[in-house]
Amino acid sequence: MGISQGSLPDGAPEADAAPAPPDADEKHALPGFEAVARLASSALGVPLVALLLADGSAYWYASPGHPGTFALDAALLAACREVARHGSAEVIADAREDARFQPAGTDPVRAEVAFLAAEPVFGLDGQLLGALLAIDRRPRLTLAPGERAALRDAAALAGTGAALRYYVNRIDPATRLPHRNAFFADLAAQLPHETGHAWLVAIEVAPVTRFNAFVRAMGHSYADALMRATAERVQAWMTADMQLYQVGATRLAVLLAGSHDAPTPMRLDALVATLRDPVDCQGVPLTLQPGVGLLRAEAVELRGGDPLRRVMSASHLAQGSANGWSVYDRDQDERQRQEFFLVTELAAALSDRTELELHYQPRVDLASGRCVALEALARWHHPTLGEVSPGAFVPLAEQAGLMRSLTDWVFDCGLAQLAQWLRGGLDLRLSLNVSSIDLDAMLEKRLVAAAQRHGVPLARLELEFTESIAIHHDELNRGVLAALRSAGMGIAIDDFGIGYSNLDALRRMPATGLKIDKSLVRALDTRAHDAAIVRSMAALGRELGFRVVMEGVETARELAAIRDMPCDEVQGNYIARPMPGPAVAGWLHRHAAARAAPATPGC
Ligand code: C2E
Ligand code: MG
Ligand code: MG
């Protein structure tokens, strides 16, 4: 038999096992123990060597040269631990004569262990970690000086291994704080039964992107110093019955002892305030953007529930909030998880492309009633969730870095369809929605490449940017829009009238069209005041040389009200709902026929 890590040799009971932390296996790796134990066993001529550590773990080595197993039981193990706890070298000539090794209340003296020599094991910082024990079935009076020295050397080596394991499993080398494994082990130890709870506080020190920027600009040692400085602030806030952990590159967690009540809102305010104070790190002053989360972790949820993930989700949400802290909210967490699910599904849909489709909504010239353009609108048919609206998935794509591939797919699919219509003799333009993320120097290249691929003239295309993107972008982006415009493309300002319209910025926009938002169009036929506002917006658009489009026209009354306004085009469900590409030709045909019929109302 060789090494037995963390458990006893055959016939011996396991030490009490606390609920296992996720990385429990790592806890059992003890570098070099087997070699050390083999040396001690052969130098002292003993069949059994044990290393018992203060954190409760035990390592056993039984020499192959000594057949048979030791029948160790829990009481004997407790006695060995008692010896290990003292921190001094000890030789027990015959354990059968030693009161500590007698089981309480019963008679039979253990025949298995007679001789026992213990040597304390110290860590790298000199702290007592436990003891190395050499055990024999036969009593022995003492150890020879050479044997004692060998046991001392073996204990020193075991100490190095144990310290290494201790640090690897518990301590973050950069901040010297206990890390995530230690957090899970301590939490599990605090909640050993199915009942009970513990309060957890999580601290998101700074947004990850911002923290990465610190690292890029100042180096890793600066980031480590920043985390240490933050940890010191948290420690100054903590009371004696709290323990601090570094659970991620930018994240700290505090475990409150079982008896502790939840920290009061005032205490949490104080924590946020101390973290928001500017910090001077290596001479560089910084203001962090911390988020503090609070969770009551229930013992019963410990195994599957991942309390750390949940409390971190609370601290993440708190980062953008005014008070800087939030209590874990299951519904909000569920929404976030759903979003994450959607993002992964959207990424798959973008590479597979079978679930995505473009629909096209006609834009009709108000004067002639002719359909002059179609707006491409993305549709996602999810196999289990059903129709997911672009209002839900476009913002997610923006957040998750998927916007470029979504837009590229829209360009590709939309332009392929437009090319087919043009080849069929239809005289149409296509308008494409573009997100703020797309608005950079590459946009023109991406569009030109797509147009060339499909043989579509750029003059057949129009890009729609929302008002906020169009207006709040800087000179560089205005330059990008100007370049697109001079390449022949139309540029429309979408959803106009619901943002903060800066007229000066609007005047300087290299746009060709202005789409007045449907929420304003909605009120046209009922509220005279709103109608006056829409009328002046449309007049302003015309004045600035834009082609004015009213979107979201739903009723004949709205259309009638618009006819009275300075407006060029209309778009909305009253005229036609967005439809799949193959349905467009049929609709155009019916629409043209309806226009030709003398008594037809509408466009
Ligand atoms: P949008 O660009 O303002 O598009 C018009 C939206 O109004 C579309 O919603 C359209 O279906 C809807 N609509 C049209 N007529 C009516 C009407 O009479 N009544 C009402 N209530 N709604 C009408 P949809 O397709 O759900 O798209 C919502 C938004 O999602 C779009 O607003 C656009 O901002 C964004 N979006 C859609 N497709 C794309 C895309 O391919 N790329 C990007 N970046 N954004 C897209
Ligand atoms: Mg649009
Ligand atoms: Mg719009």
Side-chain angles (χ1 to χ4, degrees), residues 346 349-351 353 356 358 360 376 378 393-394 397 401-417 430 432-435 437-451 453-454 461 463:
L346 182 60
L350 278 167
S351 65
R353 297 189 168 191
L356 294 172
L358 277 184
Y360 301 87
F393 70 79
V394 168
L402 295 172
M403 200 60 226
R404 270 162 192 279
S405 45
L406 177 62
T407 304
D408 281 339
W409 170 78
V410 171
F411 288 172
D412 219 39
C413 183
L415 269 59
Q417 178 64 79
L430 184 67
L432 301 154
N433 290 285
V434 184
S435 137
I437 289 167
D438 297 303
L439 188 57
D440 64 12
M442 287 303 292
L443 182 59
E444 189 187 352
K445 279 207 179 79
R446 290 162 70 198
L447 267 164
V448 168
R453 239 188 346 269
H454 296 287
L461 301 177
L463 298 185

Side-chain angles (χ1 to χ4, degrees), residues 9 20 74 134 263 266 281 292 385-386 419 423 425 445 454 478 482 495 513 533:
M266 242 167 63
C281 185
V292 171
L385 300 171
R423 279 197 302 273
K445 279 207 179 79
H454 296 287
R478 231 191 307 278
D495 302 345
I533 294 177

Side-chain angles (χ1 to χ4, degrees), residues 363 375-377 431-434 463-466 492-495 515 551 571:
R363 277 170 48 176
E375 176 175 5
L377 295 161
S431 68
L432 301 154
N433 290 285
V434 184
L463 298 185
E464 296 189 11
F465 292 91
T466 58
I493 300 171
D494 202 357
D495 302 345
K515 296 185 80 178
E551 63 176 6
Q571 175 183 353

Side-chain angles (χ1 to χ4, degrees), residues 5 53 55 63 207 215 233 334 370 404 421 462 466 552 576 581 593:
Q5 294 181 333
L53 295 178
D55 65 6
S63 151
V215 176
R233 288 183 176 194
E334 201 37 57
R370 201 173 71 80
R404 270 162 192 279
W421 286 328
E462 181 175 70
T466 58

Side-chain angles (χ1 to χ4, degrees), residues 417-553:
Q417 178 64 79
L418 178 63
Q420 195 185 327
W421 286 328
L422 295 178
R423 279 197 302 273
L426 297 176
D427 179 16
L428 290 171
R429 285 187 305 123
L430 184 67
S431 68
L432 301 154
N433 290 285
V434 184
S435 137
S436 63
I437 289 167
D438 297 303
L439 188 57
D440 64 12
M442 287 303 292
L443 182 59
E444 189 187 352
K445 279 207 179 79
R446 290 162 70 198
L447 267 164
V448 168
Q452 278 174 352
R453 239 188 346 269
H454 296 287
V456 170
L458 290 172
R460 291 278 179 183
L461 301 177
E462 181 175 70
L463 298 185
E464 296 189 11
F465 292 91
T466 58
E467 182 187 355
S468 58
I469 304 166
I471 295 203
H472 294 296
H473 269 66
D474 56 16
E475 285 304 323
L476 172 83
N477 292 327
R478 231 191 307 278
V480 172
L481 293 179
L484 293 170
R485 187 179 160 170
S486 42
M489 264 174 269
I491 307 288
I493 300 171
D494 202 357
D495 302 345
F496 184 74
I498 52 171
Y500 300 97
S501 311
N502 174 335
L503 294 184
D504 183 51
L506 189 63
R507 187 178 54 76
R508 290 187 290 128
M509 277 298 299
T512 50
L514 192 70
K515 296 185 80 178
I516 297 188
D517 190 69
K518 53 182 173 291
S519 61
L520 295 163
V521 172
R522 187 80 343 95
L524 267 187
D525 58 326
T526 50
R527 295 205 290 266
H529 174 69
D530 290 354
I533 294 177
V534 175
R535 182 187 305 280
S536 32
M537 277 182 185
L540 174 77
R542 276 268 182 85
E543 197 69 26
L544 293 170
F546 300 143
R547 204 172 153 75
V548 175
V549 185
M550 299 278 178
E551 63 176 6
V553 180

